[in-house]
Amino acid sequence: MKKKYVPFKFSNTVKLKHRLGLALSGGGTRGFAHIGVLKAFQEERIAFDCVAGTSAGSLIGALYCADVGLDVIIQEAKRVQRKELVRRLWINSDSANIANVVNRLLVDKTFEELSTPFAAVAVDVLSGNEVVLTSGNVAKAVSASCAVPALFKPVESDGMVLMDGGLLNNMPADVCRKMGAQIVIGVDLNCHRGEGTDSRKLRDLLFAAWSITTKSTMYKGLQNSDLVIEPELRQFSRASLDSIDEMVEEGYRAAKQKMPEIKKLLGLK
């Protein structure tokens, strides 16, 4: 029997002249800030015609496109235990752990069952190519998009070995364009990427190395975004499940700060 949840619905959504896309970047557990961004758009009654996400952005994007309520997403996030996601001292944990958590709310939904078109970005390490996932099981696609090298095992699918899309495309605004979006808003969770770390802990070193690597993977995202929202998240760890409310609030603040520009871009008063 499928689990029921309270859907997130826009009431009286404003009508836009152009198809609007949302590109959500990766950023580990800083992805909770995406919830605050979406809350700001909800208040303005602005809905997106398509969403593309990488890593943490794919997780929040998938739940949004499935009409899962933002309050429900926050409640579920606070229920998650670190041991449910990462084991073996953070090295080579099973990506299926991510899929299991996502499926608590999606219950094996496919892309075709989502109410808003959605794409998750991953990388096939066999070919070295970017892979845009738009069909099949959503939770499995999200787990592939979130499979950070060394931290999670890759996801095998259709002859491919898939890992985190941030290896090649960390804010997939170009994917939104290919989905038909005429205006794209990007959300960058790591606007300070590439700064490194003074920590010697293995976890912190891995995330610092990842941050440096993904600095060059923002090019397509920045080039294809009409506007980028940049929450200030430097004070939050990319691997902590603490401070969820604070990260949501910072995402909300950053989006509200940009809202006058966004409305002008969309031709709204």
Side-chain angles (χ1 to χ4, degrees):
M1 183 175 177
K2 288 194 173 184
K3 182 178 178 180
K4 293 183 178 180
Y5 56 81
V6 179
F8 171 62
K9 298 286 186 184
F10 283 95
S11 59
N12 262 338
T13 303
V14 294
K15 293 184 178 180
L16 303 177
K17 296 179 181 179
H18 305 285
R19 285 181 57 81
L20 180 62
L22 178 67
L24 300 176
S25 84
T29 53
R30 289 175 177 173
F32 293 121
H34 286 317
I35 301 172
V37 171
L38 290 169
K39 179 182 176 183
F41 281 99
Q42 176 189 17
E43 287 185 353
E44 300 293 339
R45 298 185 292 112
I46 298 172
F48 295 92
D49 296 295
C50 62
V51 178
T54 293
S55 200
S58 76
L59 194 158
I60 301 301
L63 297 177
Y64 170 83
C65 291
D67 275 337
V68 178
L70 300 183
D71 56 337
V72 177
I73 298 173
I74 294 173
Q75 290 170 14
E76 187 63 32
K78 291 180 177 179
R79 285 182 52 203
V80 174
Q81 301 287 321
R82 179 179 295 173
K83 63 184 179 181
E84 293 181 82
L85 295 173
V86 289
R87 297 167 187 155
R88 300 169 59 135
L89 298 177
W90 287 85
I91 303 299
N92 215 28
S93 294
D94 194 341
S95 298
N97 298 341
I98 300 172
N100 291 338
V101 170
V102 175
N103 262 331
R104 288 180 186 169
L105 294 175
L106 293 192
V107 198
D108 290 321
K109 276 187 180 292
T110 65
F111 281 83
E112 293 73 20
E113 294 177 292
L114 300 178
S115 61
T116 301
F118 169 67
V121 176
V123 171
D124 176 21
V125 295
L126 293 181
S127 66
N129 295 327
E130 177 181 333
V131 177
V132 179
L133 302 168
T134 57
S135 63
N137 182 275
V138 177
K140 184 176 181 180
V142 168
S143 68
S145 184
C146 291
V148 178
L151 297 183
F152 289 98
K153 293 178 181 178
V155 175
E156 296 190 21
S157 177
D158 297 328
M160 298 180 291
V161 179
L162 301 174
M163 299 206 78
D164 196 301
L167 284 166
L168 289 177
N169 192 353
N170 204 32
M171 190 175 71
D174 62 310
V175 175
C176 288
R177 297 284 184 195
K178 293 172 183 175
M179 296 170 76
Q182 296 162 303
I183 295 176
V184 179
I185 294 172
V187 183
D188 182 7
L189 301 180
N190 296 303
C191 57
H192 300 290
R193 63 176 51 76
E195 293 183 345
T197 180
D198 57 6
S199 172
R200 295 298 179 267
K201 294 181 180 179
L202 177 59
R203 184 187 70 184
D204 293 335
L205 289 169
L206 285 171
F207 274 104
W210 180 253
S211 175
I212 293 167
T213 299
T214 57
K215 189 173 183 178
S216 63
T217 71
M218 288 295 294
Y219 177 75
K220 287 193 294 184
L222 295 173
Q223 287 291 104
N224 286 278
S225 294
D226 294 286
L227 183 144
V228 178
I229 297 169
E230 298 177 327
E232 178 51 71
L233 300 168
R234 183 162 32 183
Q235 69 271 35
F236 302 111
S237 167
R238 298 180 185 86
S240 175
L241 290 172
D242 301 324
S243 304
I244 291 175
D245 289 332
E246 291 82 354
M247 287 187 277
V248 171
E249 182 59 32
E250 174 53 25
Y252 175 80
R253 182 206 64 79
K256 292 295 279 188
Q257 184 181 53
K258 289 273 189 176
M259 201 56 69
E261 292 179 62
I262 293 169
K263 286 185 173 181
K264 183 177 180 179
L265 179 66
L266 299 177
L268 301 174
K269 295 181 179 180

